[in-house]
Amino acid sequence: MEKNKNVLKLIDNHYDKLSKNQKILANYIKENLNIVGFFSIKELSEKTGISIATISRFVKEIEFDGFFEFQKNLSDLLKKNITPMKEIKNFIKENEEKNILKNIIDSNTNILLNTYTEELNNNFNKAIDILSEKKGNIYICASRSSYSVAFYLYFTLKGIKENVYLLSDENGNISLKLLSVKKEDKLIAISYARYTKFTYNITRFFKEKECKIVSITDNINAPIGLNSDVVLLAKNSEISYSFVGAMTLANSITVALGKIEKEKVLKRMELHDKILLENDIYIS
């Protein structure tokens, strides 16, 4: 089997000969490169409205033996051409002299100003309803660069609630943690392009357990959204790969959940502060 076929070039080379539905499929693939690699052929059919038979004929038309080979080559293409630090890399390569600090602050400010929408607010309230259910644990899951947001959310939520657990692909005992997952548990999944199979597979596992899932991501069509009950959208900066929007959502989730059991939470926080002081954790 030939290796390293360029999916995009093959689509372009054969585009004029494709049927109407195959062209619709080709356009969808080109516009959603980051997520198509996660879909089974059935999921791709459901997302595009194109039959499985047509998809099978399409991948053969553009010179692949089958859907698996097509998907594998698409994944290889993304590994070469897309990285989570793409924006920073491009910014560094620019020759034009700029006020770097101001440009990045302005970019992050614009992200925050454009993050809030009525739809996001409605979804946020739905997410809080799910996460505030008293039964069950809250699990937080992310991988690679998105893990920074997950750890921050875990750190803040753990300060107000006992039943919060962090899942990552760096944990060697991940399978042991998943053994304890029950239907009443909730998952907060965080995944930004380039999306990882680890986070997607964890959301699928929780979905199979019939757990409620809240996702934080940058695209309504992100892979984790397929399995989520609520999707919270917070895009990244175009200049720097900044999680300022996702971090703001993390803060908002913690504050909203804290307010629901205000007295209990404040007592827990005061006790925590007392323990820190007694054990000289901080310099001052």
Side-chain angles (χ1 to χ4, degrees):
M1 181 176 67
E2 184 182 347
K3 294 183 179 179
N4 300 322
K5 295 179 181 178
N6 189 308
V7 175
L8 293 179
K9 285 184 179 179
L10 288 171
I11 289 176
D12 288 339
N13 291 343
H14 293 273
Y15 190 82
D16 291 339
K17 298 179 182 179
L18 298 176
S19 68
K20 180 181 177 181
N21 281 343
Q22 287 176 338
K23 285 180 178 179
I24 292 173
L25 178 62
N27 293 335
Y28 180 87
I29 291 168
K30 291 170 72 173
E31 292 169 5
N32 296 277
L33 283 178
N34 284 344
I35 62 175
V36 172
F38 289 87
F39 295 161
S40 66
I41 192 169
K42 180 181 177 182
E43 288 170 334
L44 182 58
S45 174
E46 290 172 350
K47 294 295 287 187
T48 59
I50 305 299
S51 71
I52 291 176
T54 300
I55 296 174
S56 296
R57 287 194 294 270
F58 166 80
V59 296
K60 290 181 180 179
E61 184 71 29
I62 61 171
E63 301 181 26
F64 291 101
D65 292 337
F67 188 77
F68 177 79
E69 185 194 2
F70 160 78
Q71 201 172 45
K72 173 69 167 58
N73 279 266
L74 178 58
S75 176
D76 290 342
L77 176 68
L78 290 176
K79 287 176 183 177
K80 290 180 180 179
N81 297 318
I82 301 175
T83 67
M85 301 297 283
K86 175 179 66 175
E87 294 86 352
I88 290 179
K89 180 180 179 181
N90 291 338
F91 194 66
I92 290 173
K93 288 168 68 175
E94 285 184 3
N95 293 323
E96 184 182 352
E97 290 295 327
K98 293 181 178 179
N99 185 327
I100 295 172
L101 178 61
K102 185 177 186 304
N103 271 272
I104 291 179
I105 289 174
D106 288 345
S107 176
N108 287 339
T109 300
N110 287 333
I111 283 291
L112 286 177
L113 289 175
N114 293 313
T115 293
Y116 181 86
T117 63
E118 286 300 323
E119 182 180 10
L120 176 60
N121 187 51
N122 290 336
N123 287 337
F124 177 80
N125 290 331
K126 291 176 184 177
I128 297 303
D129 287 341
I130 290 172
L131 298 172
S132 61
E133 292 176 2
K134 292 186 177 180
K135 287 186 177 181
N137 299 316
I138 295 176
Y139 289 86
I140 303 170
C141 171
S143 181
R144 297 185 65 80
S145 57
S146 302
Y147 179 75
S148 59
V149 182
F151 182 81
Y152 178 74
L153 179 56
Y154 166 76
F155 180 81
T156 56
L157 273 186
K158 196 68 175 178
I160 67 170
K161 298 177 76 68
E162 293 180 8
N163 59 333
V164 181
Y165 301 93
L166 182 62
L167 304 173
S168 82
D169 51 359
E170 295 178 357
N171 296 337
N173 62 343
I174 185 70
S175 58
L176 294 177
K177 288 188 176 183
L178 294 179
L179 276 175
S180 304
V181 173
K182 298 179 178 60
K183 182 178 179 179
E184 60 266 24
D185 293 333
K186 286 84 65 176
L187 174 69
I188 304 174
I190 304 168
S191 184
Y192 279 71
R194 194 170 70 202
Y195 310 111
T196 64
K197 285 189 176 180
F198 171 81
T199 307
Y200 174 73
N201 288 338
I202 294 294
T203 60
R204 189 167 58 183
F205 176 85
F206 273 77
K207 187 70 174 179
E208 289 171 356
K209 289 285 186 178
E210 300 184 28
C211 302
K212 297 285 187 176
I213 302 171
V214 174
S215 63
I216 299 175
T217 187
D218 55 355
N219 190 321
I220 191 64
N221 291 317
I224 59 172
L226 292 172
N227 298 315
S228 300
D229 296 280
V230 179
V231 177
L232 303 178
L233 290 180
K235 294 187 177 182
N236 276 332
S237 165
E238 294 179 358
I239 292 179
S240 63
Y241 200 73
S242 166
F243 285 108
V244 62
M247 287 293 193
T248 300
L249 281 176
N251 277 336
S252 301
I253 289 171
T254 301
V255 171
L257 292 178
K259 283 181 172 293
I260 291 173
E261 296 183 286
K262 185 184 296 186
E263 297 303 320
K264 181 180 178 181
V265 167
L266 290 176
K267 285 181 180 179
R268 177 179 171 84
M269 295 177 76
E270 287 172 5
L271 177 60
H272 185 227
D273 287 342
K274 183 180 178 182
I275 292 171
L276 292 175
L277 289 172
E278 288 176 350
N279 289 275
D280 293 325
I281 301 298
Y282 295 118
I283 295 173
S284 60

